DNA sequence: CGTGCCGTTGACGATATTCAAGTGCAGTGG
DNA sequence: CCACTGCACTTGAATATCGTCAACGGCACG
């Protein structure tokens, strides 16, 4: 099986054959499927297990009492949600599938097996530090960037992350986000998202057709978005841990 | 010494005498002082150590190339920044003192001593899960709430967090944030922050005089802010781990 | 007694929202 | 095959929210 978690972690450090075996076992326990737009996890529930996304996209969201909804983050294949989440009594947010989704629920005990593997543990730490950095960058995005920059920045981030697990296609990638989702993720209305995408299309920076997003000139888009990829920590920072086999 | 980290962690679980001794030793190594508005950590630097805030406030921030600045989070006494941060090659954000600050730099080796203590390790995990939840809530705040709700929500959050380490004063607390800081934290201009605070004052919900913030009716403020404290996980969720001594 | 920071105010303008209606397209079922 | 339905996307006009610019007052500090 093609394990996107391995692919992602190897952006940090090269894993050994036995490391990969362990991660493959991890990713084959408790596999579940869910159709699009269904909740995997609901706010208020007791957390059950660690979820690992294998195929398809998902998103974290939170609703306000009056019905407003904010998408807090996107989960791509290879993404883990909330290591050690079972320490909490109840979830403070929900997670839903964006597409038909294949994921696995890793029980606490199973997960603790990988604790024996220092290289994997460090790679997982790297991953959660990056996840935290992404959340911080969303704060910056929502707080400081205007509509055009904000949408552009999100597109850049998704492209780099998708490329990290090898699911891109040169200058384009499959992106199942609707304009309404984009609105909920960027804190704008869908009307304004629509107009902003038209502006990007008009400038020749992004061609979003259906679920395929093409970026003819990534450099130009990054510049417009004030996108600095440093927060994704993609420069093989754990190279000194590389396995030799 | 009155260790605010202990105070904070005991919102999760009761610690034993020896747990507290270890945390007191932790909080007495590498003590440093910094005057207000100076950087503790700069974007681009190699991370050195884990920082623990002991006295005074600090904040994380990030600057865009064109000079715009977003405050990403506030650090109060007892707050730790970035466990395992030394896995990263360079910092993707900066941290500065908001007031004259006393903090300690905990080297990697020193920190790893506490790994022997399962109860402390779990409490630290709880703390970092809460920190992540706070960052998510900021995303919701910036994305969905309007100016009045947004400022109110931030005030509610700060009050609950300050109360968690016992630094509040019944219905008020010391809050060294200027209107300009508030603007950078909430993604508004300082002019609009000013007008929003006047509105809150006019409604009798918040009296912000100098560095003292009074909240006459916390319930009413929470209601206006659509504030739900569940994300702070303050209900002693680790009570089953309580030490007996 | 300046100097600088913080808070405050007014007038004006830009950015984004609201409301309402309409298009195109894929999927469903007669 | 075609009507029907629902969803995603699109458009226009009116409006609200928030930003910009510029100026002023109070207060602490040197």
């Amino acid at each position: 099986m093609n394990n996107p978690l391995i692919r992602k972690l190897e952006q940090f450090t090269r894993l050994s054959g036995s490391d990969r075996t362990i991660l493959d076992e991890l990713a084959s326990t408790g596999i579940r499927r869910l159709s699009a737009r269904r909740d995997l996890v609901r706010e208020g529930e007791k957390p059950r297990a660690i979820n690992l996304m294998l195929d398809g996209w998902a998103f974290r969201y939170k609703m306000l009492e009056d019905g407003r909804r904010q998408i807090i983050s996107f989960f791509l294949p290879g993404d883990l949600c909330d290591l050690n989440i079972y320490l909490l009594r109840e979830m403070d947010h929900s997670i839903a599938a964006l597409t038909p989704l294949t994921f696995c629920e890793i029980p606490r005990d199973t997960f603790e097996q990988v604790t024996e593997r220092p290289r994997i543990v460090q790679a997982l730490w790297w991953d959660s530090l990056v996840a935290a950095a992404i959340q911080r960058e969303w704060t910056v995005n929502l707080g400081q960037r205007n509509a055009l920059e904000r949408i552009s920045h999100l597109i850049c981030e998704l492209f780099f992350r998708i490329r990290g697990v090898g699911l891109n296609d040169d200058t384009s990638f499959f992106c199942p986000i609707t304009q309404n989702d984009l609105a909920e993720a960027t804190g704008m209305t869908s009307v304004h998202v629509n107009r902003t995408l038209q502006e990007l299309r008009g400038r020749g920076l992004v061609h979003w057709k259906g679920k395929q997003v093409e970026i003819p000139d990534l450099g130009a888009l990054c510049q417009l978005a004030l996108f600095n990829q440093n927060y994704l920590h993609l420069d093989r920072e754990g190279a000194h841990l590389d396995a030799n086999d």
Side-chain angles (χ1 to χ4, degrees), chain A residues 88-235:
Chain A
L88 301 181
R89 193 167 287 161
E90 59 175 64
M91 294 299 296
D92 54 50
H93 62 274
S94 304
I95 303 178
L98 193 55
T99 63
L101 187 70
T102 306
F103 66 105
C104 66
E105 288 188 332
I106 306 171
R108 185 169 184 165
D109 295 341
T110 308
F111 191 80
E112 277 164 4
Q113 288 171 19
V114 308
T115 307
E116 318 284 311
R117 296 289 181 146
R119 195 185 294 114
I120 296 181
V121 169
Q122 296 207 38
L124 291 174
W125 267 111
W126 166 79
D127 182 53
S128 57
L129 287 167
V130 171
I134 290 173
Q135 200 66 54
R136 287 193 296 266
E137 192 64 37
W138 279 47
T139 305
V140 177
N141 209 22
L142 290 167
Q144 296 301 320
R145 283 184 260 256
N146 63 25
L148 201 63
E149 295 161 347
R150 210 182 288 178
I151 299 275
S152 305
H153 191 280
L154 180 56
I155 293 172
C156 290
E157 178 183 300
L158 291 171
F159 183 74
F160 278 88
R161 287 173 59 194
I162 277 291
R163 197 166 67 174
V165 284
L167 296 174
N168 67 314
D169 183 15
D170 195 18
T171 63
S172 70
F173 68 109
F174 172 79
C175 182
I177 303 178
T178 68
Q179 291 187 5
N180 199 48
D181 298 328
L182 257 187
E184 291 183 343
T186 56
M188 306 163 44
T189 59
S190 57
V191 171
H192 200 217
V193 165
N194 182 282
R195 289 174 176 141
T196 306
L197 285 175
Q198 290 180 50
E199 172 76 19
L200 284 173
R201 207 175 296 142
R203 296 195 189 191
L205 289 170
V206 175
H207 298 288
W208 192 315
K209 293 234 163 132
K211 297 184 174 175
Q212 201 67 22
V213 176
E214 211 217 323
I215 308 172
D217 183 347
L218 184 60
L221 189 65
C222 288
Q223 195 166 6
L224 171 64
L226 296 113
F227 182 86
N228 180 339
Q229 64 173 100
N230 68 348
Y231 73 99
L232 296 174
H233 298 280
L234 295 176
D235 48 346

Side-chain angles (χ1 to χ4, degrees), chain A residues 39-51:
Chain A
D39 284 329
L40 251 106
V41 165
R42 277 208 189 85
E43 181 168 351
E45 281 181 353
K46 171 130 193 66
R48 286 186 301 268
I50 298 170
N51 294 302

Side-chain angles (χ1 to χ4, degrees), chain A residues 58-78:
Chain A
F59 61 100
R60 248 196 260 263
Y61 69 94
K62 219 166 161 167
M63 299 206 50
L64 300 187
E65 282 186 21
D66 63 1
R68 280 177 276 178
R69 184 164 85 154
Q70 174 71 31
I71 291 182
I72 294 167
S73 57
F74 289 107
F75 291 113
L76 314 185

